[in-house]
């Protein structure tokens, strides 16, 4: 009787215990099987995506930066994108004109497209001819270069997890770098 009672209690405990596998209907696949290999990820900088919680923290840190500026708060349009270009989080502060919103998104897309900051892209192609040729590259897919600082790729452990773009202010890139350093510990490029 004790054995039957013990087995019954054990069976009840197993049934009552929360199970990730039960919630998903099957045993979860190991992460290593569900993503590209480490070799491919090191080359493409694409394996993970920034979470919405961390994206919100990055946006909030940018707003904090803007409000701490001397002479009053800066007005920023802030976009955090996933590696595929989807908007994970965004915020437009009061007083940002429409072109500031557009350029913030374009800077984030430039950082994704080039896998480097929009400042680096501008420095890489300093001539009008070099820029004109690249302005339309990828435009049909929603990508194009924008040659102004303020877009920064978000890279952790050699993996691109997103990008941030700031528009509308006069310290767009410092705002992005401040937020990434505060939230994720990413140091601005030297």
């Amino acid at each position: 009787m004790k054995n039957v009672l013990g087995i019954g209690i054990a069976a009840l405990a197993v049934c009552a215990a929360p199970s990730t596998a039960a919630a998903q209907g099957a045993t979860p696949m190991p992460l290593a099987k569900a993503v590209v290999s480490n070799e491919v990820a090191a080359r493409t900088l694409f394996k993970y995506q920034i979470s919405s919680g961390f994206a919100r923290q990055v946006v909030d840190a940018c707003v904090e930066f803007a409000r701490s500026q001397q002479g009053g708060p800066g007005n920023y349009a802030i976009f955090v994108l996933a590696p595929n270009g989807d908007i994970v989080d965004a915020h437009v502060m009061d007083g940002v004109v429409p072109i500031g919103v557009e350029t913030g998104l374009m800077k984030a897309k430039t950082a994704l497209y080039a896998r480097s900051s929009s400042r680096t892209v501008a420095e890489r192609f300093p001539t009008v001819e070099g820029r004109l040729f690249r302005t339309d590259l990828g435009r049909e897919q929603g990508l194009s270069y924008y040659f102004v600082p303020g877009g920064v790729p978000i890279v952790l452990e050699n993996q691109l997890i997103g990008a941030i773009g700031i528009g509308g202010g006069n310290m767009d890139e410092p705002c992005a770098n401040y937020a990434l350093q505060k939230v994720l510990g990413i140091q601005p490029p030297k």
Side-chain angles (χ1 to χ4, degrees):
M1 181 70 167
K2 284 184 180 181
N3 284 345
V4 172
L5 183 58
I7 292 172
I9 290 173
L12 183 59
V14 168
C15 291
S19 170
T20 305
Q24 296 178 356
T27 303
M29 181 182 291
L31 181 60
K33 283 185 123 181
V35 297
V36 299
S37 69
N38 289 336
E39 293 80 19
V40 170
R43 187 175 64 252
T44 62
L45 299 178
F46 184 75
K47 188 170 185 175
Y48 301 106
Q49 175 178 313
I50 190 169
S51 73
S52 61
F54 280 114
R56 172 48 38 184
Q57 289 178 37
V58 168
V59 167
D60 290 344
C62 281
V63 171
E64 174 187 302
F65 176 88
R67 291 185 176 147
S68 71
Q69 297 307 296
Q70 289 183 331
N75 299 318
Y76 295 99
I78 307 152
F79 291 87
V80 178
L81 304 182
N84 66 355
D86 290 342
I87 297 171
V88 178
D89 206 324
H91 180 75
V92 178
M93 297 178 72
D94 292 341
V96 178
V97 297
I99 194 67
V101 176
E102 182 69 18
T103 60
L105 184 55
M106 290 171 69
K107 291 173 188 180
K109 286 182 177 184
T110 296
L112 280 179
Y113 190 40
R115 301 296 200 255
S116 62
S117 72
S118 56
R119 171 186 296 282
T120 301
V121 171
E123 291 169 352
R124 190 179 309 142
F125 306 109
T127 65
V128 172
E129 295 81 20
R131 290 181 179 186
L132 282 176
F133 175 72
R134 286 162 181 84
T135 300
D136 287 330
L137 291 176
R139 189 175 301 273
E140 289 181 20
Q141 293 81 24
L143 297 170
S144 62
Y145 285 123
Y146 188 63
F147 302 97
V148 178
V152 179
I154 304 172
V155 180
L156 284 174
E157 297 181 16
N158 293 323
Q159 300 305 308
L160 179 79
I161 62 170
I164 184 170
I166 313 290
N170 58 359
M171 295 189 62
D172 299 347
E173 188 171 329
C175 180
N177 288 331
Y178 170 84
L180 293 178
Q181 196 280 323
K182 179 176 182 177
V183 175
L184 299 172
I186 297 172
Q187 299 299 316
K190 301 212 188 284

